[in-house]
PDB file of all heavy atoms in Angstrom:
ATOM      1  N   ALA A  10     122.201  -1.419 -98.816  1.00  0.00           N
ATOM      2  CA  ALA A  10     123.303  -1.237 -97.871  1.00  0.00           C
ATOM      3  C   ALA A  10     124.457  -2.172 -98.187  1.00  0.00           C
ATOM      4  O   ALA A  10     125.636  -1.782 -98.158  1.00  0.00           O
ATOM      5  CB  ALA A  10     122.815  -1.461 -96.440  1.00  0.00           C
ATOM      6  N   ARG A  11     124.146  -3.428 -98.528  1.00  0.00           N
ATOM      7  CA  ARG A  11     125.209  -4.390 -98.817  1.00  0.00           C
ATOM      8  C   ARG A  11     125.898  -4.072-100.139  1.00  0.00           C
ATOM      9  O   ARG A  11     127.121  -4.250-100.264  1.00  0.00           O
ATOM     10  CB  ARG A  11     124.640  -5.814 -98.818  1.00  0.00           C
ATOM     11  CG  ARG A  11     124.223  -6.277 -97.433  1.00  0.00           C
ATOM     12  CD  ARG A  11     123.904  -7.765 -97.369  1.00  0.00           C
ATOM     13  NE  ARG A  11     125.112  -8.572 -97.420  1.00  0.00           N
ATOM     14  CZ  ARG A  11     125.359  -9.607 -96.604  1.00  0.00           C
ATOM     15  NH1 ARG A  11     124.477  -9.951 -95.668  1.00  0.00           N
ATOM     16  NH2 ARG A  11     126.464 -10.290 -96.721  1.00  0.00           N
ATOM     17  N   VAL A  12     125.143  -3.611-101.119  1.00  0.00           N
ATOM     18  CA  VAL A  12     125.763  -3.228-102.396  1.00  0.00           C
ATOM     19  C   VAL A  12     126.768  -2.101-102.170  1.00  0.00           C
ATOM     20  O   VAL A  12     127.901  -2.136-102.662  1.00  0.00           O
ATOM     21  CB  VAL A  12     124.695  -2.808-103.421  1.00  0.00           C
ATOM     22  CG1 VAL A  12     125.348  -2.167-104.639  1.00  0.00           C
ATOM     23  CG2 VAL A  12     123.866  -4.011-103.856  1.00  0.00           C
ATOM     24  N   ILE A  13     126.363  -1.080-101.420  1.00  0.00           N
ATOM     25  CA  ILE A  13     127.257   0.047-101.173  1.00  0.00           C
ATOM     26  C   ILE A  13     128.457  -0.390-100.344  1.00  0.00           C
ATOM     27  O   ILE A  13     129.602  -0.020-100.635  1.00  0.00           O
ATOM     28  CB  ILE A  13     126.492   1.195-100.495  1.00  0.00           C
ATOM     29  CG1 ILE A  13     125.431   1.747-101.452  1.00  0.00           C
ATOM     30  CG2 ILE A  13     127.440   2.305-100.062  1.00  0.00           C
ATOM     31  CD1 ILE A  13     124.486   2.756-100.834  1.00  0.00           C
ATOM     32  N   ALA A  14     128.214  -1.188 -99.309  1.00  0.00           N
ATOM     33  CA  ALA A  14     129.332  -1.676 -98.498  1.00  0.00           C
ATOM     34  C   ALA A  14     130.301  -2.505 -99.327  1.00  0.00           C
ATOM     35  O   ALA A  14     131.518  -2.461 -99.095  1.00  0.00           O
ATOM     36  CB  ALA A  14     128.798  -2.501 -97.327  1.00  0.00           C
ATOM     37  N   SER A  15     129.797  -3.240-100.296  1.00  0.00           N
ATOM     38  CA  SER A  15     130.669  -4.097-101.108  1.00  0.00           C
ATOM     39  C   SER A  15     131.680  -3.310-101.930  1.00  0.00           C
ATOM     40  O   SER A  15     132.680  -3.855-102.374  1.00  0.00           O
ATOM     41  CB  SER A  15     129.825  -4.989-102.029  1.00  0.00           C
ATOM     42  OG  SER A  15     129.389  -4.301-103.188  1.00  0.00           O
ATOM     43  N   THR A  16     131.428  -2.010-102.129  1.00  0.00           N
ATOM     44  CA  THR A  16     132.373  -1.178-102.883  1.00  0.00           C
ATOM     45  C   THR A  16     133.540  -0.715-102.035  1.00  0.00           C
ATOM     46  O   THR A  16     134.477  -0.090-102.556  1.00  0.00           O
ATOM     47  CB  THR A  16     131.674   0.068-103.457  1.00  0.00           C
ATOM     48  OG1 THR A  16     131.348   0.972-102.392  1.00  0.00           O
ATOM     49  CG2 THR A  16     130.416  -0.307-104.229  1.00  0.00           C
ATOM     50  N   GLY A  17     133.485  -0.967-100.723  1.00  0.00           N
ATOM     51  CA  GLY A  17     134.518  -0.480 -99.822  1.00  0.00           C
ATOM     52  C   GLY A  17     134.196   0.869 -99.220  1.00  0.00           C
ATOM     53  O   GLY A  17     135.008   1.434 -98.494  1.00  0.00           O
ATOM     54  N   ALA A  18     132.998   1.409 -99.518  1.00  0.00           N
ATOM     55  CA  ALA A  18     132.604   2.730 -99.022  1.00  0.00           C
ATOM     56  C   ALA A  18     132.439   2.719 -97.506  1.00  0.00           C
ATOM     57  O   ALA A  18     132.320   1.668 -96.872  1.00  0.00           O
ATOM     58  CB  ALA A  18     131.310   3.168 -99.689  1.00  0.00           C
ATOM     59  N   ASP A  19     132.390   3.927 -96.918  1.00  0.00           N
ATOM     60  CA  ASP A  19     132.215   4.017 -95.469  1.00  0.00           C
ATOM     61  C   ASP A  19     130.805   3.598 -95.077  1.00  0.00           C
ATOM     62  O   ASP A  19     129.875   3.610 -95.892  1.00  0.00           O
ATOM     63  CB  ASP A  19     132.512   5.439 -94.984  1.00  0.00           C
ATOM     64  CG  ASP A  19     131.516   6.458 -95.498  1.00  0.00           C
ATOM     65  OD1 ASP A  19     130.479   6.654 -94.846  1.00  0.00           O
ATOM     66  OD2 ASP A  19     131.774   7.052 -96.562  1.00  0.00           O
ATOM     67  N   VAL A  20     130.627   3.247 -93.798  1.00  0.00           N
ATOM     68  CA  VAL A  20     129.333   2.749 -93.345  1.00  0.00           C
ATOM     69  C   VAL A  20     128.259   3.828 -93.439  1.00  0.00           C
ATOM     70  O   VAL A  20     127.079   3.512 -93.624  1.00  0.00           O
ATOM     71  CB  VAL A  20     129.421   2.195 -91.908  1.00  0.00           C
ATOM     72  CG1 VAL A  20     130.358   0.997 -91.851  1.00  0.00           C
ATOM     73  CG2 VAL A  20     129.858   3.261 -90.917  1.00  0.00           C
ATOM     74  N   GLY A  21     128.651   5.092 -93.325  1.00  0.00           N
ATOM     75  CA  GLY A  21     127.677   6.166 -93.477  1.00  0.00           C
ATOM     76  C   GLY A  21     127.049   6.165 -94.852  1.00  0.00           C
ATOM     77  O   GLY A  21     125.833   6.344 -94.990  1.00  0.00           O
ATOM     78  N   ALA A  22     127.850   5.936 -95.879  1.00  0.00           N
ATOM     79  CA  ALA A  22     127.323   5.884 -97.245  1.00  0.00           C
ATOM     80  C   ALA A  22     126.328   4.743 -97.386  1.00  0.00           C
ATOM     81  O   ALA A  22     125.282   4.884 -98.035  1.00  0.00           O
ATOM     82  CB  ALA A  22     128.467   5.721 -98.247  1.00  0.00           C
ATOM     83  N   ALA A  23     126.645   3.605 -96.769  1.00  0.00           N
ATOM     84  CA  ALA A  23     125.736   2.453 -96.843  1.00  0.00           C
ATOM     85  C   ALA A  23     124.418   2.764 -96.148  1.00  0.00           C
ATOM     86  O   ALA A  23     123.338   2.432 -96.652  1.00  0.00           O
ATOM     87  CB  ALA A  23     126.402   1.227 -96.224  1.00  0.00           C
ATOM     88  N   PHE A  24     124.474   3.410 -94.986  1.00  0.00           N
ATOM     89  CA  PHE A  24     123.250   3.743 -94.253  1.00  0.00           C
ATOM     90  C   PHE A  24     122.412   4.775 -94.996  1.00  0.00           C
ATOM     91  O   PHE A  24     121.185   4.670 -95.056  1.00  0.00           O
ATOM     92  CB  PHE A  24     123.590   4.269 -92.859  1.00  0.00           C
ATOM     93  CG  PHE A  24     124.091   3.227 -91.898  1.00  0.00           C
ATOM     94  CD1 PHE A  24     124.596   3.597 -90.660  1.00  0.00           C
ATOM     95  CD2 PHE A  24     124.072   1.875 -92.206  1.00  0.00           C
ATOM     96  CE1 PHE A  24     125.053   2.650 -89.760  1.00  0.00           C
ATOM     97  CE2 PHE A  24     124.533   0.915 -91.323  1.00  0.00           C
ATOM     98  CZ  PHE A  24     125.024   1.307 -90.085  1.00  0.00           C
ATOM     99  N   VAL A  25     123.067   5.785 -95.549  1.00  0.00           N
ATOM    100  CA  VAL A  25     122.330   6.829 -96.263  1.00  0.00           C
ATOM    101  C   VAL A  25     121.651   6.249 -97.503  1.00  0.00           C
ATOM    102  O   VAL A  25     120.489   6.554 -97.796  1.00  0.00           O
ATOM    103  CB  VAL A  25     123.264   7.994 -96.638  1.00  0.00           C
ATOM    104  CG1 VAL A  25     122.560   8.984 -97.560  1.00  0.00           C
ATOM    105  CG2 VAL A  25     123.742   8.709 -95.375  1.00  0.00           C
ATOM    106  N   GLY A  26     122.351   5.398 -98.241  1.00  0.00           N
ATOM    107  CA  GLY A  26     121.748   4.759 -99.409  1.00  0.00           C
ATOM    108  C   GLY A  26     120.579   3.869 -99.037  1.00  0.00           C
ATOM    109  O   GLY A  26     119.540   3.870 -99.692  1.00  0.00           O
ATOM    110  N   ALA A  27     120.748   3.106 -97.947  1.00  0.00           N
ATOM    111  CA  ALA A  27     119.664   2.241 -97.488  1.00  0.00           C
ATOM    112  C   ALA A  27     118.455   3.062 -97.064  1.00  0.00           C
ATOM    113  O   ALA A  27     117.306   2.702 -97.353  1.00  0.00           O
ATOM    114  CB  ALA A  27     120.148   1.373 -96.330  1.00  0.00           C
ATOM    115  N   ALA A  28     118.700   4.185 -96.370  1.00  0.00           N
ATOM    116  CA  ALA A  28     117.596   5.053 -95.953  1.00  0.00           C
ATOM    117  C   ALA A  28     116.863   5.616 -97.162  1.00  0.00           C
ATOM    118  O   ALA A  28     115.636   5.782 -97.142  1.00  0.00           O
ATOM    119  CB  ALA A  28     118.122   6.190 -95.081  1.00  0.00           C
ATOM    120  N   GLY A  29     117.589   5.888 -98.234  1.00  0.00           N
ATOM    121  CA  GLY A  29     116.945   6.346 -99.463  1.00  0.00           C
ATOM    122  C   GLY A  29     116.026   5.289-100.035  1.00  0.00           C
ATOM    123  O   GLY A  29     114.908   5.584-100.473  1.00  0.00           O
ATOM    124  N   ALA A  30     116.469   4.039-100.027  1.00  0.00           N
ATOM    125  CA  ALA A  30     115.619   2.956-100.519  1.00  0.00           C
ATOM    126  C   ALA A  30     114.385   2.787 -99.651  1.00  0.00           C
ATOM    127  O   ALA A  30     113.284   2.538-100.144  1.00  0.00           O
ATOM    128  CB  ALA A  30     116.421   1.647-100.570  1.00  0.00           C
ATOM    129  N   LEU A  31     114.553   2.945 -98.337  1.00  0.00           N
ATOM    130  CA  LEU A  31     113.437   2.761 -97.417  1.00  0.00           C
ATOM    131  C   LEU A  31     112.389   3.858 -97.565  1.00  0.00           C
ATOM    132  O   LEU A  31     111.221   3.677 -97.206  1.00  0.00           O
ATOM    133  CB  LEU A  31     113.950   2.733 -95.974  1.00  0.00           C
ATOM    134  CG  LEU A  31     112.974   2.229 -94.917  1.00  0.00           C
ATOM    135  CD1 LEU A  31     112.690   0.750 -95.104  1.00  0.00           C
ATOM    136  CD2 LEU A  31     113.537   2.468 -93.515  1.00  0.00           C
ATOM    137  N   SER A  32     112.782   5.001 -98.090  1.00  0.00           N
ATOM    138  CA  SER A  32     111.847   6.122 -98.201  1.00  0.00           C
ATOM    139  C   SER A  32     110.793   5.909 -99.284  1.00  0.00           C
ATOM    140  O   SER A  32     109.782   6.609 -99.309  1.00  0.00           O
ATOM    141  CB  SER A  32     112.610   7.420 -98.493  1.00  0.00           C
ATOM    142  OG  SER A  32     113.147   7.418 -99.812  1.00  0.00           O
ATOM    143  N   GLY A  33     111.013   4.943-100.155  1.00  0.00           N
ATOM    144  CA  GLY A  33     110.069   4.717-101.243  1.00  0.00           C
ATOM    145  C   GLY A  33     108.753   4.139-100.767  1.00  0.00           C
ATOM    146  O   GLY A  33     108.717   3.304 -99.858  1.00  0.00           O
ATOM    147  N   PRO A  34     107.634   4.556-101.369  1.00  0.00           N
ATOM    148  CA  PRO A  34     106.320   4.072-100.926  1.00  0.00           C
ATOM    149  C   PRO A  34     106.105   2.580-101.129  1.00  0.00           C
ATOM    150  O   PRO A  34     105.217   2.002-100.501  1.00  0.00           O
ATOM    151  CB  PRO A  34     105.328   4.900-101.755  1.00  0.00           C
ATOM    152  CG  PRO A  34     106.111   5.372-102.937  1.00  0.00           C
ATOM    153  CD  PRO A  34     107.518   5.561-102.445  1.00  0.00           C
ATOM    154  N   LEU A  35     106.896   1.928-101.984  1.00  0.00           N
ATOM    155  CA  LEU A  35     106.764   0.484-102.150  1.00  0.00           C
ATOM    156  C   LEU A  35     107.600  -0.288-101.139  1.00  0.00           C
ATOM    157  O   LEU A  35     107.652  -1.510-101.183  1.00  0.00           O
ATOM    158  CB  LEU A  35     107.176   0.072-103.573  1.00  0.00           C
ATOM    159  CG  LEU A  35     106.272   0.581-104.687  1.00  0.00           C
ATOM    160  CD1 LEU A  35     106.759   0.066-106.039  1.00  0.00           C
ATOM    161  CD2 LEU A  35     104.831   0.149-104.456  1.00  0.00           C
ATOM    162  N   HIS A  36     108.254   0.425-100.225  1.00  0.00           N
ATOM    163  CA  HIS A  36     109.063  -0.279 -99.225  1.00  0.00           C
ATOM    164  C   HIS A  36     108.739   0.200 -97.816  1.00  0.00           C
ATOM    165  O   HIS A  36     108.226  -0.566 -97.022  1.00  0.00           O
ATOM    166  CB  HIS A  36     110.549  -0.081 -99.534  1.00  0.00           C
ATOM    167  CG  HIS A  36     111.473  -0.870 -98.667  1.00  0.00           C
ATOM    168  ND1 HIS A  36     111.085  -1.972 -97.937  1.00  0.00           N
ATOM    169  CD2 HIS A  36     112.798  -0.724 -98.405  1.00  0.00           C
ATOM    170  CE1 HIS A  36     112.124  -2.467 -97.288  1.00  0.00           C
ATOM    171  NE2 HIS A  36     113.173  -1.717 -97.531  1.00  0.00           N
ATOM    172  N   GLY A  37     108.958   1.445 -97.494  1.00  0.00           N
ATOM    173  CA  GLY A  37     108.838   1.876 -96.109  1.00  0.00           C
ATOM    174  C   GLY A  37     107.711   2.829 -95.798  1.00  0.00           C
ATOM    175  O   GLY A  37     107.592   3.270 -94.659  1.00  0.00           O
ATOM    176  N   GLY A  38     106.877   3.158 -96.771  1.00  0.00           N
ATOM    177  CA  GLY A  38     105.893   4.204 -96.533  1.00  0.00           C
ATOM    178  C   GLY A  38     104.474   3.750 -96.287  1.00  0.00           C
ATOM    179  O   GLY A  38     103.568   4.578 -96.210  1.00  0.00           O
ATOM    180  N   ALA A  39     104.231   2.448 -96.137  1.00  0.00           N
ATOM    181  CA  ALA A  39     102.856   1.953 -96.101  1.00  0.00           C
ATOM    182  C   ALA A  39     102.081   2.249 -94.821  1.00  0.00           C
ATOM    183  O   ALA A  39     100.879   2.482 -94.888  1.00  0.00           O
ATOM    184  CB  ALA A  39     102.834   0.456 -96.372  1.00  0.00           C
ATOM    185  N   PRO A  40     102.685   2.235 -93.615  1.00  0.00           N
ATOM    186  CA  PRO A  40     101.853   2.462 -92.429  1.00  0.00           C
ATOM    187  C   PRO A  40     101.077   3.771 -92.453  1.00  0.00           C
ATOM    188  O   PRO A  40      99.913   3.812 -92.051  1.00  0.00           O
ATOM    189  CB  PRO A  40     102.877   2.424 -91.287  1.00  0.00           C
ATOM    190  CG  PRO A  40     103.934   1.501 -91.772  1.00  0.00           C
ATOM    191  CD  PRO A  40     104.052   1.821 -93.243  1.00  0.00           C
ATOM    192  N   SER A  41     101.693   4.839 -92.933  1.00  0.00           N
ATOM    193  CA  SER A  41     100.954   6.103 -92.983  1.00  0.00           C
ATOM    194  C   SER A  41      99.790   6.012 -93.964  1.00  0.00           C
ATOM    195  O   SER A  41      98.734   6.625 -93.758  1.00  0.00           O
ATOM    196  CB  SER A  41     101.882   7.252 -93.365  1.00  0.00           C
ATOM    197  OG  SER A  41     102.479   7.027 -94.628  1.00  0.00           O
ATOM    198  N   LEU A  42      99.958   5.211 -95.026  1.00  0.00           N
ATOM    199  CA  LEU A  42      98.865   5.025 -95.984  1.00  0.00           C
ATOM    200  C   LEU A  42      97.724   4.215 -95.364  1.00  0.00           C
ATOM    201  O   LEU A  42      96.560   4.404 -95.713  1.00  0.00           O
ATOM    202  CB  LEU A  42      99.386   4.337 -97.245  1.00  0.00           C
ATOM    203  CG  LEU A  42     100.465   5.103 -98.021  1.00  0.00           C
ATOM    204  CD1 LEU A  42     100.932   4.293 -99.220  1.00  0.00           C
ATOM    205  CD2 LEU A  42      99.955   6.470 -98.460  1.00  0.00           C
ATOM    206  N   VAL A  43      98.055   3.316 -94.443  1.00  0.00           N
ATOM    207  CA  VAL A  43      97.015   2.573 -93.726  1.00  0.00           C
ATOM    208  C   VAL A  43      96.161   3.535 -92.910  1.00  0.00           C
ATOM    209  O   VAL A  43      94.929   3.449 -92.907  1.00  0.00           O
ATOM    210  CB  VAL A  43      97.641   1.495 -92.817  1.00  0.00           C
ATOM    211  CG1 VAL A  43      96.577   0.893 -91.890  1.00  0.00           C
ATOM    212  CG2 VAL A  43      98.293   0.396 -93.651  1.00  0.00           C
ATOM    213  N   LEU A  44      96.803   4.476 -92.224  1.00  0.00           N
ATOM    214  CA  LEU A  44      96.035   5.444 -91.437  1.00  0.00           C
ATOM    215  C   LEU A  44      95.155   6.305 -92.330  1.00  0.00           C
ATOM    216  O   LEU A  44      94.027   6.652 -91.948  1.00  0.00           O
ATOM    217  CB  LEU A  44      96.965   6.325 -90.613  1.00  0.00           C
ATOM    218  CG  LEU A  44      97.600   5.702 -89.368  1.00  0.00           C
ATOM    219  CD1 LEU A  44      98.243   6.788 -88.517  1.00  0.00           C
ATOM    220  CD2 LEU A  44      96.602   4.915 -88.537  1.00  0.00           C
ATOM    221  N   GLU A  45      95.650   6.657 -93.506  1.00  0.00           N
ATOM    222  CA  GLU A  45      94.827   7.427 -94.435  1.00  0.00           C
ATOM    223  C   GLU A  45      93.581   6.634 -94.828  1.00  0.00           C
ATOM    224  O   GLU A  45      92.482   7.184 -94.955  1.00  0.00           O
ATOM    225  CB  GLU A  45      95.642   7.812 -95.662  1.00  0.00           C
ATOM    226  CG  GLU A  45      96.724   8.844 -95.376  1.00  0.00           C
ATOM    227  CD  GLU A  45      97.566   9.157 -96.589  1.00  0.00           C
ATOM    228  OE1 GLU A  45      97.182   8.754 -97.715  1.00  0.00           O
ATOM    229  OE2 GLU A  45      98.627   9.804 -96.437  1.00  0.00           O
ATOM    230  N   MET A  46      93.749   5.321 -95.032  1.00  0.00           N
ATOM    231  CA  MET A  46      92.606   4.471 -95.354  1.00  0.00           C
ATOM    232  C   MET A  46      91.629   4.424 -94.183  1.00  0.00           C
ATOM    233  O   MET A  46      90.408   4.560 -94.374  1.00  0.00           O
ATOM    234  CB  MET A  46      93.091   3.057 -95.695  1.00  0.00           C
ATOM    235  CG  MET A  46      91.979   2.078 -96.050  1.00  0.00           C
ATOM    236  SD  MET A  46      92.612   0.424 -96.485  1.00  0.00           S
ATOM    237  CE  MET A  46      93.165  -0.173 -94.879  1.00  0.00           C
ATOM    238  N   LEU A  47      92.140   4.270 -92.952  1.00  0.00           N
ATOM    239  CA  LEU A  47      91.265   4.251 -91.784  1.00  0.00           C
ATOM    240  C   LEU A  47      90.580   5.596 -91.588  1.00  0.00           C
ATOM    241  O   LEU A  47      89.411   5.659 -91.182  1.00  0.00           O
ATOM    242  CB  LEU A  47      92.061   3.871 -90.537  1.00  0.00           C
ATOM    243  CG  LEU A  47      92.659   2.453 -90.507  1.00  0.00           C
ATOM    244  CD1 LEU A  47      93.416   2.227 -89.211  1.00  0.00           C
ATOM    245  CD2 LEU A  47      91.591   1.390 -90.697  1.00  0.00           C
ATOM    246  N   ASP A  48      91.292   6.689 -91.883  1.00  0.00           N
ATOM    247  CA  ASP A  48      90.672   8.018 -91.821  1.00  0.00           C
ATOM    248  C   ASP A  48      89.456   8.080 -92.740  1.00  0.00           C
ATOM    249  O   ASP A  48      88.388   8.590 -92.365  1.00  0.00           O
ATOM    250  CB  ASP A  48      91.665   9.094 -92.270  1.00  0.00           C
ATOM    251  CG  ASP A  48      92.751   9.385 -91.250  1.00  0.00           C
ATOM    252  OD1 ASP A  48      92.574   9.004 -90.079  1.00  0.00           O
ATOM    253  OD2 ASP A  48      93.773   9.978 -91.627  1.00  0.00           O
ATOM    254  N   GLU A  49      89.638   7.569 -93.943  1.00  0.00           N
ATOM    255  CA  GLU A  49      88.569   7.659 -94.942  1.00  0.00           C
ATOM    256  C   GLU A  49      87.376   6.780 -94.564  1.00  0.00           C
ATOM    257  O   GLU A  49      86.225   7.157 -94.784  1.00  0.00           O
ATOM    258  CB  GLU A  49      89.114   7.271 -96.314  1.00  0.00           C
ATOM    259  CG  GLU A  49      88.163   7.588 -97.451  1.00  0.00           C
ATOM    260  CD  GLU A  49      88.813   7.414 -98.809  1.00  0.00           C
ATOM    261  OE1 GLU A  49      90.061   7.437 -98.882  1.00  0.00           O
ATOM    262  OE2 GLU A  49      88.078   7.239 -99.787  1.00  0.00           O
ATOM    263  N   ILE A  50      87.646   5.604 -94.014  1.00  0.00           N
ATOM    264  CA  ILE A  50      86.549   4.712 -93.612  1.00  0.00           C
ATOM    265  C   ILE A  50      85.783   5.316 -92.436  1.00  0.00           C
ATOM    266  O   ILE A  50      84.542   5.342 -92.437  1.00  0.00           O
ATOM    267  CB  ILE A  50      87.102   3.323 -93.259  1.00  0.00           C
ATOM    268  CG1 ILE A  50      87.706   2.668 -94.512  1.00  0.00           C
ATOM    269  CG2 ILE A  50      85.993   2.429 -92.684  1.00  0.00           C
ATOM    270  CD1 ILE A  50      88.469   1.390 -94.232  1.00  0.00           C
ATOM    271  N   GLY A  51      86.517   5.764 -91.442  1.00  0.00           N
ATOM    272  CA  GLY A  51      85.908   6.554 -90.381  1.00  0.00           C
ATOM    273  C   GLY A  51      85.251   5.803 -89.253  1.00  0.00           C
ATOM    274  O   GLY A  51      85.424   6.155 -88.093  1.00  0.00           O
ATOM    275  N   SER A  52      84.448   4.779 -89.531  1.00  0.00           N
ATOM    276  CA  SER A  52      83.709   4.096 -88.466  1.00  0.00           C
ATOM    277  C   SER A  52      83.585   2.613 -88.777  1.00  0.00           C
ATOM    278  O   SER A  52      83.683   2.185 -89.943  1.00  0.00           O
ATOM    279  CB  SER A  52      82.314   4.693 -88.307  1.00  0.00           C
ATOM    280  OG  SER A  52      81.519   4.427 -89.449  1.00  0.00           O
ATOM    281  N   VAL A  53      83.354   1.839 -87.719  1.00  0.00           N
ATOM    282  CA  VAL A  53      83.175   0.391 -87.872  1.00  0.00           C
ATOM    283  C   VAL A  53      82.025   0.096 -88.829  1.00  0.00           C
ATOM    284  O   VAL A  53      82.104  -0.817 -89.666  1.00  0.00           O
ATOM    285  CB  VAL A  53      82.937  -0.247 -86.489  1.00  0.00           C
ATOM    286  CG1 VAL A  53      82.497  -1.704 -86.650  1.00  0.00           C
ATOM    287  CG2 VAL A  53      84.179  -0.144 -85.623  1.00  0.00           C
ATOM    288  N   GLU A  54      80.975   0.873 -88.735  1.00  0.00           N
ATOM    289  CA  GLU A  54      79.774   0.625 -89.538  1.00  0.00           C
ATOM    290  C   GLU A  54      80.040   0.781 -91.036  1.00  0.00           C
ATOM    291  O   GLU A  54      79.361   0.153 -91.857  1.00  0.00           O
ATOM    292  CB  GLU A  54      78.653   1.580 -89.115  1.00  0.00           C
ATOM    293  CG  GLU A  54      78.113   1.344 -87.707  1.00  0.00           C
ATOM    294  CD  GLU A  54      79.056   1.800 -86.613  1.00  0.00           C
ATOM    295  OE1 GLU A  54      79.927   2.668 -86.902  1.00  0.00           O
ATOM    296  OE2 GLU A  54      78.939   1.289 -85.482  1.00  0.00           O
ATOM    297  N   ARG A  55      80.989   1.601 -91.392  1.00  0.00           N
ATOM    298  CA  ARG A  55      81.273   1.848 -92.811  1.00  0.00           C
ATOM    299  C   ARG A  55      82.297   0.887 -93.395  1.00  0.00           C
ATOM    300  O   ARG A  55      82.571   0.922 -94.598  1.00  0.00           O
ATOM    301  CB  ARG A  55      81.781   3.281 -93.013  1.00  0.00           C
ATOM    302  CG  ARG A  55      80.754   4.365 -92.774  1.00  0.00           C
ATOM    303  CD  ARG A  55      81.262   5.696 -93.309  1.00  0.00           C
ATOM    304  NE  ARG A  55      81.385   5.668 -94.761  1.00  0.00           N
ATOM    305  CZ  ARG A  55      82.447   6.099 -95.447  1.00  0.00           C
ATOM    306  NH1 ARG A  55      83.506   6.553 -94.809  1.00  0.00           N
ATOM    307  NH2 ARG A  55      82.451   6.058 -96.769  1.00  0.00           N
ATOM    308  N   ALA A  56      82.890   0.028 -92.572  1.00  0.00           N
ATOM    309  CA  ALA A  56      84.002  -0.802 -93.039  1.00  0.00           C
ATOM    310  C   ALA A  56      83.606  -1.681 -94.225  1.00  0.00           C
ATOM    311  O   ALA A  56      84.288  -1.710 -95.256  1.00  0.00           O
ATOM    312  CB  ALA A  56      84.527  -1.669 -91.893  1.00  0.00           C
ATOM    313  N   GLY A  57      82.517  -2.405 -94.102  1.00  0.00           N
ATOM    314  CA  GLY A  57      82.129  -3.330 -95.162  1.00  0.00           C
ATOM    315  C   GLY A  57      81.828  -2.635 -96.469  1.00  0.00           C
ATOM    316  O   GLY A  57      82.316  -3.036 -97.535  1.00  0.00           O
TER     317      GLY A  57
END
């Protein structure tokens, strides 16, 4: 967002670019992956 804003672009461009960065699995996508892990484990007894 700051890189885009530094070019003088409108704030919408900065937000859209930042949202694109956040969409990556190494930044904003981990919580859903946590639920997938909990789905697979299934029960307290299987955790270990």
Side-chain angles (χ1 to χ4, degrees):
R11 291 191 74 134
V12 169
I13 295 172
S15 80
T16 71
D19 66 88
V20 297
F24 288 172
V25 171
L31 194 68
S32 70
L35 294 182
H36 186 19
S41 59
L42 299 178
V43 170
L44 285 192
E45 290 177 12
M46 180 179 71
L47 295 180
D48 286 343
E49 191 170 339
I50 295 171
S52 67
V53 170
E54 293 74 22
R55 292 193 66 227

